[in-house]
């Protein structure tokens, strides 16, 4: 366990992007909690310290807890005086015009303008938050930022040097057992020669060398693989650019035992060699064919 525990408090103007921020911290491996009353922070932190299992926590604290919000500065100051915790405040803000526009788009009421003008609520909130803003280690103005750009700023500031948020899941499956509903790319390879009809290969899987070699030596497989891997390599940078943190590529054959398994292994190995973070799994490989 690290000797120092890390706490990031996400706060700022309502509508400035705190939801995107906390999702980014989840992708970075932080334990995230939304809308905790500041008065509970010391007790919560002591529990985390004693457990020793969680060392990075991100909390969203905003004016939904306005009955307790005035306590936040005092709580942070008290926690900063301890030796086992480092506290950072991330403050998100945007221009009045941008915030008014966002509230009009979502048709939601500002928390401080339930029965009044949105602009008045924004201005009141800005005044209430000025003290905590002055304590923030990082202030991000999201007026002209897209959600993807905000994520990138948070990743750049808080990610560890060796952290790679983008990863690829390669999944083999059998169509007879149903489509994997969480896939981004699905490829049907049932047009390739099927090892199932070769007696000595029938009860093996694409992870076995005999089946793998049989599938890969077929001219149809060689042509397909070249075309498909070129497509995948073209698409992946685009997914990363648009802010996706993961892509699931599902390769399916009839039962998910032979062709799809062999190709998932080859595609996954190729992408690993291209320095992508890849996990290969075979959903149906151990289901015996009938």
């Amino acid at each position: 366990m690290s000797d120092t525990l890390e706490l990031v408090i996400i706060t700022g103007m309502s509508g400035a992007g705190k939801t995107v921020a906390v999702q980014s911290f989840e992708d970075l491996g932080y334990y995230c909690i939304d809308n905790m009353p500041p008065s509970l922070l010391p007790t919560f932190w002591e529990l985390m310290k004693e457990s020793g299992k969680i060392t990075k926590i991100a909390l969203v604290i905003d004016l939904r807890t306005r009955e307790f919000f005035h306590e936040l500065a005092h709580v942070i100051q008290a926690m900063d005086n301890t030796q086992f915790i480092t506290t950072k405040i991330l403050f998100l803000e945007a221009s009045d015009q941008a915030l008014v526009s966002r509230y009009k788009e979502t048709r939601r009421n500002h928390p401080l303008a339930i029965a009044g003008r949105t602009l008045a609520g924004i201005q009141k909130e800005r005044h209430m938050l000025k003290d905590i803003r002055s304590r923030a280690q990082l202030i991000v103005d999201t007026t002209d930022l897209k959600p993807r750009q905000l994520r990138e700023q948070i990743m750049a500031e808080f990610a560890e040097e060796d952290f790679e948020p983008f990863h690829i899941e390669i999944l083999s499956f059998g169509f007879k057992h149903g489509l994997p509903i969480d896939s981004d790319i699905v490829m049907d390879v049932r047009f390739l020669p099927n090892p199932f009809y070769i007696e000595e290969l029938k009860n093996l899987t694409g992870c076995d060398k005999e089946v793998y070699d049989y599938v890969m030596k077929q001219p149809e497989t060689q042509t397909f693989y070249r075309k498909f891997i070129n497509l995948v390599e073209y698409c992946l940078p685009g997914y990363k650019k648009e802010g996706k943190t993961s892509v699931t590529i599902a390769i399916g054959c009839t039962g998910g035992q032979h062709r799809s398994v062999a190709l998932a292994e080859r595609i996954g190995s190729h992408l690993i060699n291209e320095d992508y973070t890849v996990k290969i799994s075979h959903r149906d490989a151990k289901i015996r064919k009938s």
Side-chain angles (χ1 to χ4, degrees):
M1 173 184 167
S2 172
D3 293 333
T4 303
L5 307 180
E6 180 182 351
L7 170 66
V8 177
I9 294 175
I10 305 166
T11 189
M13 298 296 294
S14 300
K18 291 189 289 293
T19 298
V20 173
V22 74
Q23 291 171 348
S24 301
F25 278 100
E26 286 178 344
D27 291 338
L28 286 169
Y30 282 71
Y31 184 83
C32 297
I33 300 177
D34 191 12
N35 201 22
M36 173 180 283
S39 59
L40 297 181
L41 269 176
T43 301
F44 170 76
W45 201 250
E46 284 297 325
L47 291 173
M48 293 300 99
K49 180 186 175 185
E50 291 175 7
S51 75
K53 297 179 180 179
I54 299 174
T55 59
K56 300 193 299 182
I57 299 175
L59 303 179
V60 178
I61 298 178
D62 56 30
L63 287 179
R64 288 173 296 172
T65 58
R66 53 186 175 273
E67 296 86 354
F68 307 99
F69 197 81
H70 66 280
E71 304 172 7
L72 181 57
H74 301 295
V75 171
I76 292 174
Q77 185 175 2
M79 295 175 70
D80 279 343
N81 290 331
T82 66
Q83 296 181 349
F84 62 87
I85 179 173
T86 60
T87 305
K88 293 182 180 180
I89 300 175
L90 168 62
F91 189 95
L92 302 177
E93 63 182 7
S95 68
D96 290 352
Q97 183 177 356
L99 293 173
V100 169
S101 176
R102 291 171 190 177
Y103 272 101
K104 287 186 179 295
E105 288 175 1
T106 61
R107 299 183 181 182
R108 296 179 59 217
N109 291 322
H110 188 279
L112 298 183
I114 301 300
R117 295 175 57 214
T118 298
L119 180 58
I122 291 170
Q123 292 171 341
K124 181 178 180 181
E125 181 180 39
R126 200 179 296 279
H127 176 75
M128 294 175 66
L129 294 176
K130 65 179 183 178
D131 289 339
I132 199 68
R133 183 186 186 280
S134 68
R135 295 179 58 91
Q137 285 78 21
L138 179 62
I139 300 172
V140 178
D141 188 332
T142 67
T143 299
D144 299 314
L145 293 184
K146 296 179 180 178
R148 172 179 56 82
Q149 294 171 315
L150 175 57
R151 287 176 57 85
E152 289 173 352
Q153 284 201 23
I154 292 172
M155 295 288 180
E157 180 69 25
F158 292 95
E160 298 177 359
E161 288 187 7
D162 59 348
F163 179 76
E164 173 52 68
F166 184 79
H167 64 279
I168 302 166
E169 302 276 340
I170 307 292
L171 172 69
S172 71
F173 73 98
F175 278 94
K176 68 185 292 184
H177 305 297
L179 280 166
I181 62 175
D182 57 345
S183 302
D184 299 294
I185 300 172
V186 177
M187 189 65 223
D188 181 353
V189 296
R190 288 177 291 185
F191 65 92
L192 298 176
N194 192 351
F196 175 76
Y197 297 107
I198 299 174
E199 189 61 32
E200 60 268 28
L201 303 180
K202 180 176 181 179
N203 293 319
L204 301 178
T205 77
C207 291
D208 294 303
K209 186 178 186 303
E210 299 92 330
V211 174
Y212 183 90
D213 290 345
Y214 174 86
V215 173
M216 291 306 159
K217 75 179 182 181
Q218 305 301 319
E220 300 95 321
T221 304
Q222 295 174 26
T223 300
F224 162 75
Y225 176 77
R226 288 195 301 270
K227 293 178 180 293
F228 185 68
I229 202 66
N230 285 339
L231 174 64
V232 169
E233 289 184 324
Y234 174 79
C235 292
L236 291 178
Y239 283 123
K240 292 184 68 173
K241 184 178 178 181
E242 287 303 308
K244 283 183 70 68
T245 56
S246 67
V247 172
T248 299
I249 302 172
I251 311 296
C253 61
T254 304
Q257 184 178 350
H258 297 111
R259 294 164 291 180
S260 62
V261 172
L263 279 159
E265 287 289 327
R266 184 171 182 185
I267 293 166
S269 297
H270 175 86
L271 294 176
I272 290 171
N273 289 334
E274 294 297 316
D275 291 329
Y276 285 103
T277 300
V278 180
K279 177 184 177 183
I280 306 170
S281 57
H282 306 297
R283 192 190 72 180
D284 304 324
K286 294 184 179 180
I287 299 176
R288 295 293 297 270
K289 286 178 174 281
S290 57

